Each structure stands twice: as structure tokens, then as C-alpha cells.
Amino acid sequence: MRTRFTVPGTIALALAMGTTPGVAQGAPKPVTLLNVSYDPTRELYEEFNRQFQAYWKGKTGQAVTIRQSHGGSGKQARSVIDGLEADVVTLAVAYDIDQIAEKGRWLKADWQSKLPNNSSPYTSTIVLLVRKDNPKSIKDWGDLVKPGVSVITPNPKTSGGARWNYLAAWAWALRQPGGNDATAKAFVTRLYKNVPVLDAGARGSTTTFVERGIGDVLLAWENEALLAIKELGPGKFEIVTPSISILAEPPVAVVDRVAGKRGTKPVAEAYLEYLYSEPGQEIAAKNFYRPRLGSVAAKYQSQFPKVELITVDGVFGGWKKAHQTHFADGALFDQIYQPGR
Amino acid sequence: MSGVRQWVSGLGLAVGSVIVTPHVMAQTAVSATDGVNGDTSSLESRVDALDQQIKILQRLRELAADSAAAAAKDRQSATANAKDGFSLKSADGQYTLKIRGYAQADGRFFVSDDASAVADNFFLRRARPILEATVGRYFGFRIMPDFGQGQVALFDAYWEGKFTPAFNVRAGKFKPPIGYERLQSATDVNFAERGLPTNLVPSRDVGLQVGGEVSSAALEYQLGIFNGATDLANADADLNDSKDLAARVLVQPFKQGTLRGVGIGLSGSTGMEQGNATATDLAGYRSASQQTFFRYRSDPLVAGNTVVAEGRRSRLSPHAYVGLGSFGVLAEYVLNRQEVNRAGTVATLTHRAWQASGSYFLTGEYAGFRSPTPKKPFDLKAGTFGAIELAARYGELDIDDDAFPVFANPTSAASKAKGLGLGVNWHLNKQIKLVVSYEHTTFEGGATDGDRASEDFVVTRFQHSF
């Protein structure tokens, strides 16, 4: 074969090949992130997003718009699995992100090792929020099953907070004299007989209790209870710290496939890493989440009462086992709570 | 509702009792005060309980309404829009059916054809309904027949598994990954017909291909195995056991900034072919007006005198697209090497073609690889008219000199074609496009007295795609 290149052909090749190098690029293109989160984190991330946007603009020159989506943690996870294009998820329980990794394969199974503290930048716990002067004299978990006490908690099938509530109550029952799985089941069954309304998420339950005036006690995230008192005044509600509660570790993760496809991975990773920084931890503490960073935790020590905190790993063998035993379809919660009965 | 009314009635009665009771009690002995307080407390408790019941019922109704609203969002949907055409979608989004299509009605005029050798024509160039479906999370298919030119032909019919952005699998009949303008949709090309290089690549082939996008589409790749279709062919079957390999990479190095529309690629194919006297596995080549200016020799009386493909066919095509705001340029080069046989005489022929095609939007739209959505779609009331695009191109196709005279007749087959095109495209909106193109093509050889007569071809097109 003879190889011939005509002059016009060479020009076409030059057009094809010679257009790339040495041309300066303009300012970074603005980018948008979607943070799919659970119910009570609205205020936290509204403040955090403003701070991060300023930080990121100053560091890289890139403008970032952050959209938020909130709902029951389980429900939010389902939406991401079904295709909601979240760049990051900040959910209530690790199991929900595991489901996104396992069923949707939107991120890798080892996602929890990507960031410190099992990818949980802040913690919280479960407390009891009662009305002024605590008219039903509720002091601990055992008081929730008394006749005439109306308890407000969301649905564990859709809400991460509700699963923490349920497990904390179960753990308390196990600790009672003669406590075992059977007595714990009986206790939690009685507790749910006193629940008149099951909201889909924690914020919905707060609305039910605080704004609609339903119930005697709200099983609430500590941050949600403190926020309610801050916004509505200490004269209307009181926090009762139970004898034991549960260490809630809400996790965060970059949704690799979405962020990779949208080209947002660097900013998404920086967004979550910034939660661990001192400014990020300060914002978490100001919004009543227990910070991980020692210096910030010491500063806000008085805000968080001391309470013995059990862990899901220690009492329930981890989230996967806890889910299968208690919250999977047909598991204990479905046996305990049957609407209409 | 009746339940709520009963509770409200009950609450009314209870409240009424509370109001009435002090008056009644005032008429009784003072010594009964303790009992009165006890009864009042009991009634207050009952009122509180009733109040709670009403609030609970109201809240349950709120939650039921919220659930109903959420369920409505998740319900199956039937939609019609510019992006997807007409579509049906399951509640979970995993099953969709899109009905789309396009049609191109042309007016074709040979203005310098004084002898009227080729008739001017109104012509239905393409009429293609498209059916696209996703079946489950990863899988889908596409079917696209064509009813244009008074014939029925199947163009696309393939199954596709989209597992990740970086890896998908396609099987069936579709465009093999060679020929840059060929890979551009017929609705997006700047002229009524594609340029001269498209002669040297196939239209559709049957095979299996893997492909995907890496690093946020900075790198795009396809690699496939195909029957090995002839140049320009829309093939459904192979003539021999050997299969062709075809591959392509496209690099889009800039995701941001002025050069974000720059893409540079290289594609190629290779395979062994074996034609015969009735199916030579060789193609004739056409000018922009779709007139054949080159064909291999064939002899209907003596089969052995017909030129057939016999041996390796390879194609190589570097290509690029540069979109700089409203100005875009597509450039491609195709080298096609084919082993041929005529009555025992064999040769390896190398044909080459190239083109550079540019367009500019007077109305400011971005000139990308795909047609834009006009900034101000045609609207008589608003006084807007859509987008106007000017287009120009130049290209050449050069037949290997060794093809003459053994494999092609120099008095009827041209050895070179040079095409200049000018055009105006009016995009009324995303769906409607009007095209006016002028193509001037000159030839070397191809006539008994020297060069084949040049062509001046004007085409008008009305295109509707949805």
C-alpha cells in the first residue's frame, strides 16, 4: 500500500489534532450538589451549607449551590436506590447507606471507611420531650407504658430516628431485673399500644407533638428536642433524660457513581470532610449535635447532659442484625405493631 | 367525616356539661363542694381526652392526605415533551416506553443539469418511527425502521445493557463505531446529506459492542465485533465466517471553559471479507446529490469478470469536533484499504476521504455535536423566529489510482470527487428544521471525454423530529 496524505487532508488532520494545548481556562464552572438527608437536619445543613459555600469559593474560586432533600431516613435511602441523584447522603443510620451500596450499587460497600469515626462526623442520642411541668410524671422509659400515657414516635419502617427510639427502649427493657428478649418484646409492644400516630419521619413527629398538641411525650433526637425548646421557649416543654439511651451515629457518604457521573466528586468529598473541621463541628454543636472534635465537644459540654449510652453493635450485634431481627418485613416490629388492632 | 362529627358532638356535650354544671351545683348544699371539684376534674379529663382524640383524628387525616399526595407523585405517568417524545413510565421509573420519530421531506433540484439527465424531485428522504424502552434497571431496547424513499428497511434494532456509565453492552443492529459524521444523527447533520467521507464507512451492521464513558465523559470508548458491512451498507447478514473488529476512542479533555466543546477521536475497523459475483461486498460511492460517481466493474454475463472483495478490509479514521460558542467545526479523515479480486487479478486498493464542515449560529445558540434548542423558539405572538445557522463544508474522496482500469472503468467511474457545500438551516424550535443546501461537486475522470460533468445541486428540506 502507498500512503498518501493530500494537503487538504493534512489540514483536516491538523484541525482534528491541533486544537487542544496551551489555551487558558476561565473560572471554574459553578457546580450544584444534592445532599439527601434525614428529617431533622434541615437547620444544621442550611447553616453548614452557607459556611461551606463561602469556604469553597475562597479556596477554589468555584461557586457551589447545595440543594437539600429531607425525609425519613429509610425512605430517603429508597429514593436514592430508585435513582434520586444524590451527590452525598447524610442519613440517620448506617444500614440505610449500606442498602444504597448493596441494592443500588451507587457506592462501594466499604464506604464507611472513607471518613473518620466510621464516617459519622457527629453523634446524638434519644431523649424524652414532655410538656411543661411534666403532667404525666414521666421520668424514664418504664413510664411510657403506663395507662393513659400517649407516646409520639415515628414509624421505624421509614424513619431512622424511630429505629433509634425503638432500640433504646428495647435496650432499657433488657437492663431491667429478669430482662430478656421476651420481656423486652412485651415492653415495647405495650409502648407501641400507647402510640396513637406514626409519622413517616422525626420532623413529622415533632410537628404532631409540638404544633398539633398530641401526646404526652415525644421520643426525640436530642438535637430535635433541644431545637424545639430553643424555638418555642423552655416554658412549654421539658427534656427528660432517661437512665440509659443509645449512641446514635448518623453517617455521611459520597454517592460515588452519581458524583463521578456529574463531575462533582472533588467538591462532594470536600463537603463531607468539612463536617469534621473545626467550623463544621462548631455548626454541628450549635445545632445540638454532639461534636466529635475534642476542643468543640469541651466548649459545648454543658449543653449535653451526661447519660449512659449503649451502642447498636454492643447490644444488638450491629445494624444489619438489628434490622433483620426487628425491622425487616415480618420481623419483630411488624409483629408488635399492627395498625387497627 | 361522620366519626369526626360524632367526636365534635361529644366534645360539645361535654363542654356544655362543664358550663351548665356550676349553675346546677350552686343550687345544692355547700357541703357538697369536694364532690363538685371531683366531678369537675373528671369532666376536664374527659374533655382533654376528647380533645386529644379529635386532634389525633385530624392529624391522621393530614398524614393520609400527605401519603396520597406522595403516592400520586409515584404513580405511573404518561408524558409528552420535547426531550422524550411521547412516553409511558412506571411508578418506580424502571420501565419506560418512548415513542419518537422523525421525517424529512426534500425538494431536490439539479440546477446545472441542462440535459435533464436526473429528474428534479420532491422526495421523502426518511420517515422513521422510533420505539425505545427500558426494561428494568439496566436493560433496554430500540427499534427504528425507515419508510423513506418508498421502501421499508430496518435501521436500528438492538438490545442494550447499561450497567455503569463506564460499561454498557449493545447487541443487535446499529451504527458501528466508525465514521464520525455517520455517528451523528441524521437530524443533527448540518447539510441534507452527509459528506464524502461517509462513503467509506458502513451505515449499519449487526454485532456486539461494549462501550462507555470514563472520567465524567472525558473519555468515551466503543469496542465491538461485527459481521463486517460493506461501505455505505445497511447490512443484515455476513457473506463469510470471518468477523470484523471495530473500535473508537473519543477524548473530550476540557469539561469547562471555552474549549469544553472540543472532542478528538480515532476509530478503526478490520476484518476479512469474501464477496461473490452476486454479492460483491463492494460499494459504489455517491456525491452529495446521491448520484453514484464510482463503481467497480461488474459483468452480468461472465461472473469471473466481476470485481469482488477478497481479503482484508481495514478502515482508519481520525476525527474531531470543535465547538467554540456559536461556531462549530467537524473534521474527519477516512482511510479505507480493501483487497479485491477480478478474474484472478488481485490488488490492495486504498481510498481516502476527508472533510471539514463548519457552522455558525447567527442567533447565538451553542454549536454542538447535536442540534441546539433555539433560544427564542418560533412564536408569532412573541415575535420570535427560532435559530438561524449558516453552514459550509469542503471535502474530497480520492479513489486509489490502482483501481483503474482493471477494477473500475475510467470512462464511467471518477477517480476523485471534490465537494463544496453551503447551507442555511432554520431551527424553528427543537422539533422543526428547514434546510436549504447548495452542493457543488467536481470530478476527475469518469467520462469518455475526460471528467464527469460537475454537479450543482440544491436541496430544500422540511424536517420534523420529536
Side-chain angles (χ1 to χ4, degrees):
Chain A
M1 184 195 95
R2 292 168 295 143
T3 302
R4 294 178 301 174
F5 286 94
T6 59
V7 170
T10 307
I11 292 168
L13 271 175
L15 260 175
M17 302 298 190
T19 51
T20 56
V23 180
Q25 294 185 43
K29 191 181 173 187
V31 65
T32 300
L33 288 184
L34 174 61
N35 175 4
V36 171
S37 194
Y38 62 107
D39 230 1
T41 55
R42 289 171 175 81
E43 295 77 11
L44 164 66
Y45 281 106
E46 278 170 13
E47 186 175 353
F48 176 79
N49 292 347
R50 283 195 297 273
Q51 180 93 10
F52 177 76
Q53 283 165 333
Y55 159 76
W56 190 248
K57 180 83 178 176
K59 182 178 178 183
T60 67
Q62 185 177 38
V64 54
T65 303
I66 302 159
R67 294 184 295 129
Q68 297 174 221
S69 169
H70 297 272
S73 183
K75 198 174 173 186
Q76 293 289 79
R78 185 74 252 166
S79 296
V80 175
I81 291 167
D82 288 344
L84 177 61
E85 291 206 325
D87 300 280
V88 298
V89 286
T90 55
L91 296 179
V93 294
Y95 180 81
D96 289 333
I97 302 183
D98 281 340
Q99 290 298 289
I100 296 170
E102 189 179 315
K103 291 188 177 171
R105 298 183 182 176
W106 292 100
L107 67 168
K108 291 180 180 169
D110 65 348
W111 62 269
Q112 210 162 3
S113 64
K114 297 283 177 67
L115 289 166
N117 302 116
N118 285 329
S119 291
S120 175
Y122 42 77
T123 69
S124 189
T125 188
I126 302 302
V127 297
L128 314 178
L129 188 69
V130 298
R131 301 194 186 281
K132 182 187 174 188
D133 298 332
N134 195 0
K136 294 289 174 79
S137 300
I138 292 163
K139 296 184 176 60
D140 206 350
W141 294 100
D143 298 319
L144 304 182
V145 299
K146 288 178 180 171
V149 172
S150 179
V151 181
I152 302 301
T153 180
N155 188 343
K157 305 288 273 190
T158 54
S159 161
R163 277 172 267 170
W164 292 111
N165 296 348
Y166 172 105
L167 294 177
W170 191 284
W172 178 87
L174 287 177
R175 284 281 191 92
Q176 302 315 298
N180 55 40
D181 282 340
T183 62
K185 182 181 176 185
F187 171 76
V188 174
T189 302
R190 288 172 62 198
L191 191 158
Y192 275 91
K193 282 190 187 305
N194 283 351
V195 177
V197 177
L198 275 185
D199 285 275
R203 183 53 59 90
S205 280
T206 304
T207 301
T208 297
F209 183 74
V210 171
E211 294 181 19
R212 302 294 183 270
I214 298 171
D216 302 306
V217 54
L218 171 70
L219 310 190
W221 290 99
E222 180 181 56
N223 52 278
E224 187 78 340
L226 288 166
L227 181 69
I229 287 180
K230 177 190 168 192
E231 293 198 343
L232 299 168
K236 292 185 177 174
F237 301 99
E238 296 174 10
I239 290 177
V240 173
T241 305
S243 58
I244 68 166
S245 192
I246 195 161
L247 176 65
E249 297 179 293
V252 301
V254 173
V255 183
D256 294 325
R257 271 177 58 194
V258 174
K261 187 178 82 173
R262 298 187 62 238
T264 56
K265 205 164 180 179
V267 63
E269 288 172 346
Y271 178 74
L272 296 186
E273 285 163 8
Y274 196 64
L275 281 167
Y276 290 85
S277 70
E278 188 151 354
Q281 292 282 288
E282 184 87 19
I283 291 169
K286 279 164 65 182
N287 283 276
F288 310 112
Y289 293 82
R290 298 186 178 214
R292 295 281 199 182
L293 195 64
S295 57
V296 180
K299 182 177 172 184
Y300 286 86
Q301 194 174 12
S302 62
Q303 183 171 280
F304 304 107
K306 286 186 178 170
V307 57
E308 180 187 352
L309 298 176
I310 61 100
T311 65
V312 172
D313 287 348
V315 177
F316 299 96
W319 263 110
K320 192 166 186 180
K321 190 176 173 193
H323 180 86
Q324 285 167 350
T325 307
H326 295 277
F327 307 119
D329 288 344
L332 283 169
F333 179 74
D334 283 343
Q335 298 166 28
I336 285 168
Y337 185 81
Q338 295 176 338
R341 292 193 180 181
Chain B
M1 279 304 290
S2 62
V4 175
R5 285 194 188 114
Q6 284 175 2
W7 284 116
V8 172
S9 303
L11 179 64
L13 284 170
V15 172
S17 301
V18 173
I19 295 166
V20 169
T21 299
H23 299 285
V24 175
M25 296 306 294
Q27 296 171 20
T28 62
V30 175
S31 59
T33 304
D34 291 345
V36 170
N37 287 343
D39 288 347
T40 305
S41 172
S42 170
L43 284 169
E44 283 176 351
S45 298
R46 285 179 60 199
V47 170
D48 287 345
L50 289 170
D51 179 52
Q52 280 286 300
Q53 291 292 343
I54 290 170
K55 286 175 176 171
I56 289 167
L57 287 170
Q58 288 173 334
R59 182 62 174 155
L60 289 173
R61 281 183 60 198
E62 280 180 20
L63 295 178
D66 289 348
S67 295
K73 278 187 197 168
D74 294 339
R75 217 170 283 144
Q76 295 93 335
S77 61
T79 58
N81 57 53
K83 180 171 171 279
D84 296 326
F86 302 96
S87 68
L88 300 172
K89 188 176 179 184
S90 67
D92 61 5
Q94 292 194 17
Y95 294 82
T96 63
L97 178 66
K98 294 177 187 172
I99 301 169
R100 301 170 49 228
Y102 61 91
Q104 295 169 334
D106 292 359
R108 297 178 162 238
F109 309 98
F110 295 83
V111 292
S112 60
D113 178 25
D114 296 333
S116 297
V118 184
D120 295 342
N121 243 316
F122 291 118
F123 188 64
L124 186 60
R125 178 68 174 88
R126 295 178 178 92
R128 297 180 174 180
I130 302 169
L131 200 64
E132 291 177 332
T134 55
V135 184
R137 179 180 302 281
Y138 302 111
F139 307 107
F141 64 82
R142 171 185 163 105
I143 298 173
M144 184 180 77
D146 184 18
F147 299 99
Q149 305 180 50
Q151 298 171 343
V152 178
L154 183 64
F155 273 70
D156 288 339
Y158 61 80
W159 165 93
E160 195 162 38
K162 293 181 177 177
F163 302 103
T164 71
F167 183 75
N168 55 66
V169 179
R170 182 182 287 187
K173 184 178 181 183
F174 51 94
K175 292 177 181 177
I178 182 163
Y180 198 35
E181 198 179 24
R182 170 62 72 193
L183 291 173
Q184 195 172 29
S185 168
T187 58
D188 292 330
V189 293
N190 293 336
F191 290 84
E193 298 294 342
R194 294 183 175 90
L196 291 166
T198 298
N199 278 296
L200 302 184
V201 298
S203 172
R204 298 294 193 287
D205 206 346
V206 181
L208 177 71
Q209 173 181 287
V210 297
E213 297 174 350
V214 182
S215 298
S216 304
L219 174 69
E220 183 183 318
Y221 75 96
Q222 292 98 27
L223 173 65
I225 182 167
F226 297 89
N227 279 335
T230 309
D231 299 339
L232 278 179
N234 174 20
D236 289 300
D238 205 350
L239 298 173
N240 67 347
D241 291 341
S242 177
K243 301 302 163 212
D244 282 19
L245 292 175
R248 172 174 178 262
V249 291
L250 179 75
V251 179
Q252 296 174 282
F254 305 107
K255 302 309 293 180
Q256 297 167 351
T258 310
L259 296 181
R260 69 184 186 280
V262 173
I264 302 161
L266 181 67
S267 59
S269 69
T270 186
M272 301 298 288
E273 319 301 336
Q274 180 60 65
N276 57 57
T278 52
T280 63
D281 210 1
L282 294 170
Y285 299 135
R286 301 173 191 156
S287 64
S289 66
Q290 302 299 288
Q291 303 305 304
T292 301
F293 66 85
F294 171 84
R295 56 168 53 94
Y296 290 95
R297 286 182 184 272
S298 67
D299 189 335
L301 302 176
V302 182
N305 276 338
T306 296
V307 183
V308 298
E310 186 176 278
R312 182 164 297 280
R313 174 166 57 220
S314 301
R315 303 181 182 102
L316 187 67
S317 175
H319 51 267
Y321 189 87
V322 182
L324 299 171
S326 296
F327 178 65
V329 177
L330 180 151
E332 68 176 327
Y333 178 90
V334 181
L335 183 149
N336 180 315
R337 184 192 296 171
Q338 171 69 62
E339 294 178 356
V340 296
N341 186 344
R342 183 186 177 218
T345 303
V346 296
T348 300
L349 303 179
T350 304
H351 310 317
R352 298 171 179 79
W354 69 274
Q355 71 164 335
S357 174
S359 74
Y360 179 74
F361 278 92
L362 296 175
T363 41
E365 283 76 8
Y366 178 73
F369 193 64
R370 293 186 173 81
S371 294
T373 299
K375 288 182 173 178
K376 295 179 179 175
F378 180 78
D379 187 333
L380 287 175
K381 283 186 180 175
T384 56
F385 59 87
I388 299 292
E389 178 186 23
L390 302 180
R393 73 175 172 194
Y394 181 80
E396 296 182 0
L397 193 160
D398 189 11
I399 304 295
D400 194 326
D401 292 344
D402 289 350
F404 305 97
V406 176
F407 302 101
N409 183 350
T411 63
S412 59
S415 65
K416 190 167 191 175
K418 300 176 183 176
L420 170 69
L422 299 171
V424 180
N425 301 323
W426 179 13
H427 303 254
L428 279 76
N429 50 41
K430 185 71 179 169
Q431 292 81 36
I432 306 290
K433 182 165 112 175
L434 301 182
V435 177
V436 179
S437 300
Y438 165 72
E439 302 274 0
H440 176 72
T441 309
T442 59
F443 305 94
E444 292 181 12
T448 53
D449 55 352
D451 296 339
R452 178 187 172 96
S454 61
E455 288 178 0
D456 291 289
F457 172 61
V458 174
V459 58
T460 60
R461 168 168 293 172
F462 174 83
Q463 173 180 296
H464 189 182
S465 64
F466 63 90

